[in-house]
Amino acid sequence: MIRYSLFLLCSLLISTPMAFALPPNTVSLEELTWTELRDQIQAGKTTIIVPISGTEQNGPAMALGKHNVRVKLLSEKIAQLLGNALVAPVIAYVPEGSVSPPTQHMRFPGTITVPAATFETVLEYAARSFKLHGFRDIVFLGDHGGYQKDDQVVADRLNREWAATPTRVHAIGEYDRRSLQQGSHDIGQPVNSYCRSNTL
């Protein structure tokens, strides 16, 4: 009798339609299925935060992926606060200097670089993909570094092209500028003031 009851319970669980499942409790795009993402966009989550950082040396006592972890956590916190946003996978390969001869961070093992033109193409086509799928506000959130100008170049180019559409690309460099001025990495104030002055 117990075996039969367990068999019925397992059969019931397996055959229960997924329609009864709760919506996912995540803001991370890469943790969603395509149907969950579609449903969230249709329900109004039309802002996507694209965290951008870099894999580079940070001194002898710090992990190479420090910036990647930090920007992901901060992006998730911002998305939760906004309520209408999701977070794309971290873009961890950014311009970090020349390979031959090695310059800037490329003089240290573990740093990964890409040419600026390649980086801009990755940003552009990520944004084009997000627009295609229904996102209306695409936010490039750079953690630090000289690639901030590339974020802005891509945002400006796409905003000119998409001027007659409801989709906008936002390059938020305020986080990096403010952290350099204050010696702090508190993203809350710059992003909150940007969000208040620009509808996301």
Side-chain angles (χ1 to χ4, degrees), residues 70-83:
R70 183 173 71 183
V71 77
K72 182 178 195 289
L73 292 173
L74 292 170
S75 295
E76 289 173 348
K77 185 175 183 178
I78 293 165
Q80 290 165 352
L81 290 171
L82 288 173

Side-chain angles (χ1 to χ4, degrees), residues 91-105:
I91 296 179
Y93 302 144
V94 301
E96 295 280 9
S98 298
V99 173
S100 184
T103 62
Q104 299 174 24
H105 290 291

Side-chain angles (χ1 to χ4, degrees), residues 181-198:
Q181 291 167 355
Q182 297 175 352
S184 141
H185 291 297
D186 177 15
I187 194 167
Q189 185 60 35
V191 171
N192 288 340
S193 60
Y194 181 89
C195 291
R196 279 193 300 275
S197 62
N198 297 276

Side-chain angles (χ1 to χ4, degrees), residues 60-124:
M62 189 64 65
L64 293 163
K66 172 190 86 170
H67 293 291
N68 301 328
V69 171
R70 183 173 71 183
V71 77
K72 182 178 195 289
L73 292 173
L74 292 170
S75 295
E76 289 173 348
K77 185 175 183 178
I78 293 165
Q80 290 165 352
L81 290 171
L82 288 173
N84 69 335
L86 295 171
V87 178
V90 173
I91 296 179
Y93 302 144
V94 301
E96 295 280 9
S98 298
V99 173
S100 184
T103 62
Q104 299 174 24
H105 290 291
M106 290 308 297
R107 295 174 294 131
F108 302 91
T111 302
I112 302 169
T113 193
V114 296
T118 302
F119 174 66
E120 288 181 17
T121 301
V122 169
L123 291 180
E124 176 184 343

Side-chain angles (χ1 to χ4, degrees), residues 41-59:
I41 292 169
Q42 289 173 354
K45 285 199 176 184
T46 57
T47 297
I48 185 80
I49 300 171
V50 182
I52 307 165
S53 62
T55 305
E56 65 182 30
Q57 69 82 27
N58 290 281

Side-chain angles (χ1 to χ4, degrees), residues 4-198:
Y4 181 71
S5 296
L6 284 174
F7 174 76
L8 283 177
L9 179 61
C10 290
S11 298
L12 179 63
L13 289 174
I14 291 170
S15 64
T16 302
M18 294 304 285
F20 295 113
L22 294 173
N25 186 22
T26 183
V27 294
S28 179
L29 177 94
E30 59 193 343
E31 293 176 11
L32 298 171
T33 66
W34 74 266
T35 56
E36 291 168 338
L37 176 61
R38 176 202 60 208
D39 295 347
Q40 289 204 17
I41 292 169
Q42 289 173 354
K45 285 199 176 184
T46 57
T47 297
I48 185 80
I49 300 171
V50 182
I52 307 165
S53 62
T55 305
E56 65 182 30
Q57 69 82 27
N58 290 281
M62 189 64 65
L64 293 163
K66 172 190 86 170
H67 293 291
N68 301 328
V69 171
R70 183 173 71 183
V71 77
K72 182 178 195 289
L73 292 173
L74 292 170
S75 295
E76 289 173 348
K77 185 175 183 178
I78 293 165
Q80 290 165 352
L81 290 171
L82 288 173
N84 69 335
L86 295 171
V87 178
V90 173
I91 296 179
Y93 302 144
V94 301
E96 295 280 9
S98 298
V99 173
S100 184
T103 62
Q104 299 174 24
H105 290 291
M106 290 308 297
R107 295 174 294 131
F108 302 91
T111 302
I112 302 169
T113 193
V114 296
T118 302
F119 174 66
E120 288 181 17
T121 301
V122 169
L123 291 180
E124 176 184 343
Y125 280 86
R128 289 184 186 283
S129 299
F130 294 132
K131 179 182 184 287
L132 173 69
H133 299 307
F135 288 100
R136 293 293 171 251
D137 287 289
I138 301 159
V139 181
F140 294 155
L141 185 61
D143 178 69
H144 74 292
Y147 61 78
Q148 302 283 337
K149 65 185 180 310
D150 301 304
D151 299 353
Q152 192 64 57
V153 165
V154 174
D156 291 345
R157 181 182 331 135
L158 291 175
N159 285 332
R160 280 190 303 274
E161 180 182 331
W162 298 342
T165 75
T167 304
R168 293 293 169 265
V169 181
H170 312 272
I172 301 182
E174 182 68 17
Y175 165 50
D176 187 51
R177 285 192 298 275
R178 178 101 26 116
S179 65
L180 289 173
Q181 291 167 355
Q182 297 175 352
S184 141
H185 291 297
D186 177 15
I187 194 167
Q189 185 60 35
V191 171
N192 288 340
S193 60
Y194 181 89
C195 291
R196 279 193 300 275
S197 62
N198 297 276

